[in-house]
């Protein structure tokens, strides 16, 4: 059995697809691409697909991950291309590696998010970020299936900064961009929870819903404050490619007589 790990995106209008919608679309893509999937046992066998930490519905993402199990070996690059062609535009398979290490989910310990706040002056966003970072705890509320839940939105935030948009961006109104690094904790702190925290400490309330995109997720490096590529260990564990016939011949060819 071979295991392949994939990175995929949710872009444009497809950011509004639910995780269940994506599961259905992906399983159809597996059938179209004729992927030799391994199936679970039991009365209702299903393809062995492991999804890891899916982004909330309504948010875009450049860094979603899953793992599939195959009954026959396939080249990850060829498989990536076939699956990408079988999915709608916006659900794009951007990377594929053979799983050579364990614990992909354990390496997804933090996410980098971008929050685009239309109608918010960058200076107002900077002041709100300063107030947020200065607070030790910020209690927010979120409605769950079990009712209203209160939790701290500050402790999970490793970094938050306000960026100024590109000067050549279309549109005439103000716009602020927030870059957020948040640790994956329980309960999970989502970008909308951070926006609730900014409203609580600085009365920052965008006039329209924020456009939220996950830029990366992976292992959080405490020393550098960065989020590392979770597929890198699998690439590093791959065996070195054997030398080509031409390269071997060149390496073993006897030296000619000295001039």
């Amino acid at each position: 059995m071979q295991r392949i790990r994939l990175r995929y995106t949710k872009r444009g209008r497809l950011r509004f697809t639910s995780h269940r919608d994506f599961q259905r679309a992906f399983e159809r893509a597996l059938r179209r691409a004729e992927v030799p999937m391994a199936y679970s046992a039991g009365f209702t066998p299903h393809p062995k697909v492991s999804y890891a930490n899916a982004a909330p519905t309504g948010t875009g993402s450049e860094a979603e991950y899953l793992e599939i199990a195959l009954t026959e070996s396939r080249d990850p690059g060829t498989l990536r291309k076939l699956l990408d062609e079988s999915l709608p535009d916006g659900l794009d398979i951007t990377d594929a590696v053979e799983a050579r290490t364990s614990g992909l989910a354990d390496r997804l310990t933090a996410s980098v998010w971008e929050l685009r706040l239309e109608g918010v002056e960058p200076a107002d966003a900077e002041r709100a970020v300063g107030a947020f970072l200065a607070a030790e705890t910020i209690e927010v509320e979120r409605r769950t299936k079990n009712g209203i839940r209160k939790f701290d939105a500050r402790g999970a935030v490793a970094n938050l900064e306000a960026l100024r948009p590109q000067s050549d961006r279309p549109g005439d109104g103000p716009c602020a961009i927030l870059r957020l690094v948040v640790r994956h904790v329980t309960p999970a702190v989502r970008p909308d929870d951070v926006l609730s925290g900014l409203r609580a400490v600085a009365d920052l309330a965008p006039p329209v819903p924020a456009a939220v995109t996950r830029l990366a997720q992976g292992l959080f490096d405490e020393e550098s404050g960065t989020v590392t590529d979770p597929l890198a260990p699998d690439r590093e564990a791959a065996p070195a490619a054997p030398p080509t016939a031409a390269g071997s011949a060149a390496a073993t060819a006897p030296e000619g007589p000295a001039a």
Side-chain angles (χ1 to χ4, degrees):
M1 183 182 296
Q2 183 189 35
R3 294 179 296 124
I4 300 291
R5 289 168 176 169
L6 304 171
R7 174 174 173 165
Y8 66 95
T9 71
K10 286 174 58 181
R11 296 170 173 158
R13 292 173 62 87
L14 290 184
R15 70 185 185 275
F16 295 108
T17 58
S18 69
H19 182 56
R20 188 179 297 274
D21 291 334
F22 174 77
Q23 286 179 306
R24 286 194 288 262
F26 185 68
E27 290 187 10
R28 285 196 296 268
L30 291 172
R31 292 193 292 271
R32 290 194 192 103
E34 299 182 344
V35 178
M37 289 296 300
Y39 280 77
S40 63
F43 292 105
T44 56
H46 58 273
K48 288 190 174 182
V49 183
S50 300
Y51 299 92
N53 195 40
T57 302
T59 62
S61 180
E62 295 295 315
E64 301 296 288
Y65 294 91
L66 59 82
E67 180 178 298
I68 60 177
L70 311 183
T71 57
E72 301 174 12
S73 293
R74 291 290 186 269
D75 173 67
T78 302
L79 185 64
R80 184 208 68 78
K81 183 178 179 181
L82 289 171
L83 286 171
D84 188 52
E85 291 173 347
S86 300
L87 284 166
D89 291 341
L91 298 178
D92 305 314
I93 308 295
T94 58
D95 202 356
V97 300
E98 183 171 359
R100 299 181 181 276
T101 61
S102 60
L104 173 63
D106 294 336
R107 294 200 291 269
L108 303 180
T109 62
S111 289
V112 181
W113 296 92
E114 182 179 278
L115 288 67
R116 191 178 188 90
L117 310 181
E118 297 286 351
V120 174
E121 293 287 351
D124 293 336
E126 291 172 2
R127 284 192 292 270
V129 166
F132 186 98
L133 295 176
E136 292 187 5
T137 62
I138 301 175
E139 189 175 82
V140 298
E141 295 182 347
R142 185 199 304 160
R143 182 177 296 278
T144 70
K145 61 181 180 181
N146 296 321
I148 299 296
R149 184 169 190 176
K150 294 183 179 181
F151 56 94
D152 175 30
R154 175 64 184 90
V157 175
N159 188 37
L160 176 62
E161 58 182 331
L163 307 176
R164 293 186 177 268
Q166 298 295 326
S167 58
D168 58 351
R169 62 174 293 272
D172 299 325
C175 176
I177 295 175
L178 303 184
R179 187 68 54 83
L180 167 68
V181 180
V182 61
R183 297 180 182 89
H184 298 167
V185 297
T186 304
V189 173
R190 306 185 309 202
D192 56 317
D193 299 320
V194 174
L195 288 173
S196 295
L198 290 168
R199 186 181 304 112
V201 299
D203 198 28
L204 184 72
V208 297
V212 180
T213 303
R214 173 148 57 191
L215 302 180
Q217 66 170 321
L219 193 65
F220 182 67
D221 187 327
E222 294 283 353
E223 184 174 344
S224 65
T226 59
V227 174
T228 61
D229 179 6
L231 301 183
D234 295 300
R235 293 193 191 90
E236 294 166 0
T244 63
S248 299
T252 58
E255 295 183 2

